[in-house]
Amino acid sequence: MAEETTAGYLDGRIDALREHITSLAAAVPALPAQFARVGDQLAQDWQARPPGYVAGLILGFLLLGFAVEAAYRRWVALPAIADGSSGERACSIGLRFARELGALAAFAVGSAALFLAFDWPLRTRAAVVAFLAAFIALRAVIVASRALLSPREARLRILPASDDEARFWHLRIALFAGWFAFGWVIFSWLALLGMDLASRQIVAYVLGLGLLAIAIEAFWRRSRLAALYFVVLWLFWAAQAWGILWLAVVAGALPPALRLAQAGANNTFSGIPAAVLGRGLRALLIIGAAFLLVHAFGLDIDALAAGDTFWTRLLRGSVHALAIVLVADVVWMICAALIDQKLASAQNSAEEGNRAARLRTLLPIVRSTVAVALIVIVVLSALSALGIEVAPLLAGAGVVGIAVGFGAQQLVRDLFAKFSYLADDAFRVGEYIESGNYKGTVEQLGGRSIRLRHHRGPVFTIPYGQLGAIKNSSRDWVIDKMMIGVVYGTDLDKVKKIIKDIGKKLASDPEFGPKIIEPLKMQGVEQFGDFAIQIRMKMKTQPNEQFGIRRRAYAMINAAFDANGIKFAHPTVQVAGPADAATAAAARQALELKKVS
């Protein structure tokens, strides 16, 4: 059918617009008669009832609603505004918003419940209900605007804005909503008084110019393009091009709405709650915009579901695929935020160092695994939603996987070896390990290989399958053993006391003390050498910290021995014979030549 084609749709829209303009043009000359008819209806109503009857009813029920609301506000008190964490601030915002909603509900119950309990004349009932509904809707908009902008209290502001900006936009929003509610009441009342549709539409377009003026005044100084955008929207509305109108509304309002939603979430919360709330609001806004466009273009979901054409299946599948992608995006943001928070909270303190190193090793792998799993699930689900059979794809992928597995046995071996090492917690990022001829600090755990940085600079990239046995020098503690030689005849008790004092000084040093588990001490005489007594010492330190402490200990031992007259042993030559100076000089010269050579 021609109506189902794009050209047919455009022809139908043009014909409808032409008929609409014709009906409006025909209704213009009859406007005075229509208003005279409305005046007659009002005169008849006023003659049948006391003067100001409807206005008195409205005022009375408004006063009753405000009285009930005042009682509610006096009964429900709020705690002081919290200045602590973002969670406490968000709690204060939520409590005040809930109280405002409760006050609005109390007003609605007080103003409308009693009126609806009695049987009123139809025209009076409709007029009062329309006004009360418009007033309640206006107050709901004001409550929402006050919660978002909080013009009087910056600490309770959800959207980031200055005080002047908050007051400016709150006033414009309230003015726009009030004018809209006022116009809707007039439009509904004119229908009750018997005015025809074309005449009411002319009145609505005139009132719509007031909305357009408010929007232009609000945006003119900030963006002339935005002001022109509202003019275009008014023209679409006047032409009753509902599909194009709502498409333009979504295209112009959705991007800033997404930005404001994320900015409000970040300004109210922090960390994972902000990320989750921002992504959740984005998903809701996008899904809501999609359903709005579906209804704006008059698409029947049930008819589309019953249809079996390619385009109907594609449209239905696209909507489902969009929902799947948005849900997966929220899930990924939650998982990624949790992983990032764990990584950021990993501390390098002594008691949490091992746990932090393990987190830094495993969490990036978990993040990559979750990302791959989500991508696979989303792709398969989206293809299934679009009507593509995924079972043959999975079967084909299995066959290809078997073929690839035979040709990539080394790769599979490396992958299994990687997970075996990680399961055994053999090494972590930042640890110093040795494997065969390779040694260095673990810099990165890749997909199939590990990267080691040698302490002299070179980088080794080793497949996991070739690592073999691992020597890890960065776990728990290290015992460092040292050896020194002193000359025969040295007072060993004095040496032991000096070394013990040096160990105490190192343990109390603010730089080295936190790294020492057991202080330096002398174990005793290791052996009697040819020219020295070999003394053995040891200390227990944190991994990879023994080198700096050892250097400092050697320097302190050298200074202490020199101060106490203790001599380090070194090879010497003694010559026995006649006390001949020439012979002794020759011996010394020979000894010096031997040392030089």
Side-chain angles (χ1 to χ4, degrees):
M1 295 177 62
E3 285 293 326
E4 295 179 353
T5 64
T6 304
Y9 176 80
L10 293 177
D11 290 340
R13 293 294 91 198
I14 293 174
D15 292 339
L17 177 59
R18 186 182 298 110
E19 293 177 1
H20 180 60
I21 294 176
T22 302
S23 64
L24 292 179
V28 171
L31 274 178
Q34 290 291 328
F35 280 111
R37 182 180 177 182
V38 168
D40 293 340
Q41 293 290 337
L42 289 175
Q44 293 177 6
D45 289 343
W46 290 340
Q47 290 176 359
R49 299 181 182 86
Y53 176 74
V54 175
L57 284 177
I58 293 174
L59 180 60
F61 290 118
L62 286 179
L63 293 176
L64 181 60
F66 282 121
V68 175
E69 179 182 351
Y72 167 84
R73 290 184 181 275
R74 186 173 182 178
W75 178 58
V76 179
L78 282 176
I81 301 175
D83 292 328
S85 63
S86 60
E88 295 175 347
R89 178 171 167 270
C91 183
S92 298
I93 294 175
L95 288 175
R96 275 156 176 74
F97 181 64
R99 183 173 182 264
E100 291 299 320
L101 287 181
L104 181 60
F107 173 83
V109 170
S111 61
L114 182 62
F115 173 78
L116 297 177
F118 295 93
D119 187 16
W120 302 90
L122 179 61
R123 190 173 295 175
T124 302
R125 179 189 183 93
V128 176
V129 167
F131 181 85
L132 290 179
F135 189 74
I136 292 173
L138 171 61
R139 290 203 57 193
V141 172
I142 293 175
V143 168
S145 175
R146 187 180 292 117
L148 293 174
L149 296 172
S150 184
R152 296 182 179 180
E153 186 61 59
R155 291 177 295 175
L156 301 179
R157 192 168 298 151
I158 296 177
L159 297 179
S162 64
D163 292 342
D164 293 338
E165 290 177 337
R167 286 190 289 269
F168 177 87
W169 288 112
H170 178 68
L171 178 60
R172 268 52 179 191
I173 291 172
L175 184 60
F176 190 91
W179 188 271
F180 183 86
F182 172 74
W184 181 74
V185 169
I186 291 179
F187 188 83
S188 302
W189 203 5
L190 290 177
L192 291 174
L193 295 174
M195 180 176 285
D196 61 69
L197 178 61
S199 300
R200 284 186 286 123
Q201 287 176 337
I202 294 175
V203 175
Y205 293 149
V206 174
L207 293 174
L209 291 175
L211 294 178
L212 178 61
I214 296 173
I216 291 176
E217 186 273 336
F219 285 90
W220 183 257
R221 295 182 180 179
R222 290 164 174 80
S223 174
R224 305 292 175 85
L225 184 61
L228 179 62
Y229 167 76
F230 286 106
V231 174
V232 173
L233 289 183
W234 187 91
L235 293 176
F236 286 150
W237 172 60
Q240 291 191 334
W242 302 116
I244 300 177
L245 169 65
W246 289 113
L247 180 62
V249 169
V250 169
L254 185 59
L258 295 177
R259 290 194 298 270
L260 287 176
Q262 188 61 58
N266 295 335
N267 190 49
T268 306
F269 298 93
S270 61
I272 296 178
V276 173
L277 180 60
R279 292 300 178 98
L281 290 175
R282 185 177 74 170
L284 290 177
L285 287 172
I286 294 175
I287 294 175
F291 277 99
L292 177 62
L293 292 179
V294 167
H295 288 287
F297 281 97
L299 300 177
D300 190 347
I301 302 297
D302 295 333
L304 288 176
D308 198 29
T309 64
F310 171 77
W311 293 109
T312 56
R313 291 198 306 270
L314 181 62
L315 179 60
R316 186 171 62 251
S318 299
V319 174
H320 292 165
L322 176 63
I324 292 170
V325 171
L326 292 175
V327 171
D329 179 67
V330 175
V331 173
W332 165 247
M333 176 52 61
I334 295 174
C335 295
L338 288 172
I339 293 173
D340 292 341
Q341 186 183 45
K342 288 291 184 181
L343 286 174
S345 62
Q347 302 294 329
N348 293 324
S349 60
E351 58 240 30
E352 296 187 2
N354 293 336
R355 178 176 178 271
R358 185 164 178 79
L359 287 176
R360 290 195 303 270
T361 301
L362 295 180
L363 288 181
I365 299 174
V366 173
R367 183 188 180 107
S368 301
T369 304
V370 171
V372 172
L374 278 177
I375 290 174
V376 172
I377 293 173
V378 168
V379 170
L380 293 178
S381 301
L383 291 176
S384 178
L386 291 172
I388 300 174
E389 294 291 337
V390 297
L393 294 177
L394 294 176
V399 174
V400 173
I402 294 174
V404 171
F406 280 109
Q409 297 183 25
Q410 183 62 42
L411 175 61
V412 175
R413 177 188 174 189
D414 293 336
L415 293 177
F416 275 100
K418 170 186 177 179
F419 286 107
S420 297
Y421 283 123
L422 293 179
D424 294 337
D425 195 20
F427 45 76
R428 305 165 186 166
V429 175
E431 292 184 338
Y432 191 90
I433 66 172
E434 297 182 34
S435 173
N437 296 326
Y438 306 106
K439 59 183 178 180
T441 303
V442 179
E443 278 198 346
Q444 182 180 359
L445 300 177
R448 60 174 295 270
S449 62
I450 183 174
R451 186 160 62 187
L452 301 181
R453 172 74 67 175
H454 193 270
H455 56 273
R456 293 182 179 176
V459 176
F460 301 111
T461 301
I462 314 163
Y464 292 105
Q466 299 180 13
L467 281 178
I470 298 295
K471 176 183 177 182
N472 195 326
S473 301
S474 300
R475 289 293 174 88
D476 302 330
W477 45 266
V478 171
I479 292 180
D480 191 25
K481 296 183 178 181
M482 300 178 288
M483 196 84 68
I484 59 174
V486 296
V487 299
Y488 283 94
T490 301
D491 186 353
L492 297 181
D493 291 334
K494 187 176 182 181
V495 170
K496 184 176 182 180
K497 182 179 179 182
I498 292 173
I499 294 176
K500 184 177 181 181
D501 291 340
I502 292 174
K504 291 180 179 180
K505 291 179 180 178
L506 286 173
S508 61
D509 188 278
E511 179 182 358
F512 299 108
K515 304 173 184 178
I516 298 175
I517 300 175
E518 292 182 3
L520 177 69
K521 61 183 178 180
M522 174 179 162
Q523 290 186 284
V525 175
E526 180 69 16
Q527 64 179 355
F528 292 103
D530 294 336
F531 57 87
I533 301 176
Q534 300 293 334
I535 297 175
R536 186 172 180 176
M537 303 174 294
K538 76 169 185 178
M539 61 180 173
K540 191 174 184 180
T541 68
Q542 294 180 4
N544 300 322
E545 301 293 342
Q546 70 271 23
F547 307 108
I549 301 174
R550 182 198 306 160
R551 297 186 190 99
R552 180 59 178 164
Y554 277 148
M556 294 176 69
I557 290 172
N558 181 65
F561 279 15
D562 184 61
N564 288 273
I566 298 174
K567 303 296 182 180
F568 290 100
H570 53 79
T572 60
V573 176
Q574 292 183 355
V575 180
D580 191 331
T583 305
R588 286 196 298 271
Q589 185 177 6
L591 180 59
E592 294 295 334
L593 291 174
K594 184 178 179 180
K595 289 183 179 180
V596 172
S597 60

